[in-house]
């Protein structure tokens, strides 16, 4: 079984369609699995550098603040105790790693689940070519033709440098390359807009996409050599 979505030009005209494999865009979403993967991704992004000083690390004398008895106050043995002003912090945070082990199969399953959820809601779109020139206005128009919702995720291939430069400063648009697509970025976006080359590379898989990029770079190098020789 395959799903089909339209490929539209930057002007909004249909220029073709593309079949989406059901094993990626039509699977059952496992909500607990997606939650675990997203939590692990957010945890991995934490620096883990929070640190407080305990009573042995703060500055201060070792002298007893006042005598043990006769003052009517609670007994104190150090000005560096947590109860004292400028004293150490008890049970405060220390540098640590928040990384969680997440198998690659779980990450892939979560990604397929959120993509399928967006596809069932008709929130996955495809544009043939976002822009042929570095123009922000035209690139935004090409992406925004599909949706006026606030947050839109734009998926590009690594070879689309003009589109990246045109959209990188646009508000409410998040850019990502197809080989870095993840469940979290899809979940926080209302719509997902693929460029045609990006979605074809994503469906083909990492190995075929790498070959395609290498061929494009070879062609561009040959073109530059011909221009220089001419």
């Amino acid at each position: 079984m395959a799903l089909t979505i339209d490929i539209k030009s930057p002007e909004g005209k249909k220029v073709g369609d593309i079949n989406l494999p059901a094993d990626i865009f039509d699977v059952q979403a496992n909500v607990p699995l997606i939650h675990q993967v997203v939590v692990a991704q957010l945890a991995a992004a934490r620096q883990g550098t929070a640190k407080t000083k305990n009573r042995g690390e703060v500055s201060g004398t070792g002298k007893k603040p006042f005598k043990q008895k006769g003052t009517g106050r609670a007994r104190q043995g150090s000005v560096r105790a947590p109860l004292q002003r400028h004293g150490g912090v008890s049970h405060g945070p220390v540098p640590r790693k928040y990384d969680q082990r997440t198998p690659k199969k779980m990450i892939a399953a979560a990604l397929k689940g959120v993509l399928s959820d967006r596809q069932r809601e008709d929130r996955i779109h495809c544009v043939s070519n976002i822009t042929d020139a570095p123009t922000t206005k035209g690139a935004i128009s090409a992406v925004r033709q599909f949706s006026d919702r606030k947050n839109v995720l734009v998926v590009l291939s690594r070879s689309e440098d003009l589109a990246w430069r045109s959209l990188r400063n646009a508000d409410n648009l998040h850019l990502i390359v197809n080989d870095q697509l993840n469940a979290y970025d899809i979940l926080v976006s209302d719509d997902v807009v693929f460029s045609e080359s990006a979605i074809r590379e994503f469906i083909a898989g990492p190995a075929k996409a790498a070959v395609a990029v290498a061929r494009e770079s070879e062609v561009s190098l040959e073109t530059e050599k011909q221009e220089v020789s001419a």
Side-chain angles (χ1 to χ4, degrees):
M1 177 183 179
L3 309 172
T4 303
I5 60 172
D6 295 336
I7 301 175
K8 293 188 177 181
S9 67
E11 293 77 22
K13 297 180 181 179
K14 180 180 177 180
V15 294
D17 53 43
I18 185 170
N19 293 327
L20 303 179
D23 59 345
I24 299 178
F25 293 90
D26 192 21
V27 301
Q28 181 65 37
N30 187 337
V31 177
L33 171 65
I34 295 172
H35 176 267
Q36 182 177 345
V37 170
V38 169
V39 169
Q41 180 177 340
L42 295 178
R46 298 183 66 175
Q47 289 184 326
T49 56
K51 173 70 170 69
T52 57
K53 292 184 179 181
N54 58 34
R55 63 185 298 164
E57 296 170 328
V58 296
S59 61
T61 180
K63 182 182 177 182
K64 190 175 176 65
F66 45 83
K67 64 180 183 178
Q68 180 82 347
K69 297 179 180 294
T71 63
R73 301 176 62 184
R75 55 193 177 188
Q76 297 291 333
S78 172
V79 294
R80 296 181 295 177
L83 293 176
Q84 296 292 321
R85 183 169 179 262
H86 300 307
V89 176
S90 59
H91 309 295
V94 295
R96 53 164 293 192
K97 291 184 178 180
Y98 291 89
D99 298 347
Q100 300 179 19
R101 180 183 176 275
T102 310
K104 292 181 180 180
K105 288 185 178 180
M106 291 177 59
I107 297 174
L111 177 58
K112 293 176 182 179
V114 294
L115 283 173
S116 300
D117 179 71
R118 289 291 183 265
Q119 169 59 23
R120 280 190 281 269
E121 296 178 355
D122 295 326
R123 295 194 179 188
I124 289 184
H125 317 282
C126 182
V127 59
S128 59
N129 183 27
I130 292 179
T131 182
D132 292 322
T135 166
T136 300
K137 183 177 181 180
I140 292 177
S141 176
V143 171
R144 281 295 182 182
Q145 65 174 305
F146 300 103
S147 173
D148 58 354
R149 298 182 182 94
K150 183 177 180 180
N151 298 312
V152 176
L153 177 65
V154 182
V155 187
L156 304 173
S157 66
R158 290 190 177 273
S159 60
E160 295 179 294
D161 185 58
L162 287 178
W164 190 278
R165 284 189 289 166
S166 300
L167 294 174
R168 61 187 174 184
N169 292 328
D171 294 332
N172 301 324
L173 294 182
H174 180 59
L175 306 183
I176 194 170
V177 291
N178 58 349
D179 55 4
Q180 293 182 345
L181 196 60
N182 59 84
Y184 173 74
D185 285 330
I186 296 174
L187 283 176
V188 298
S189 301
D190 299 314
D191 288 83
V192 182
V193 178
F194 285 87
S195 67
E196 184 178 0
S197 61
I199 196 168
R200 292 191 186 279
E201 290 178 9
F202 177 74
I203 294 173
K208 293 182 180 179
V211 172
V213 170
R215 287 177 179 174
E216 288 182 1
S217 61
E218 289 176 0
V219 171
S220 62
L221 286 174
E222 290 179 0
T223 305
E224 290 178 359
K225 289 180 180 178
Q226 292 175 358
E227 290 178 352
V228 170
S229 60

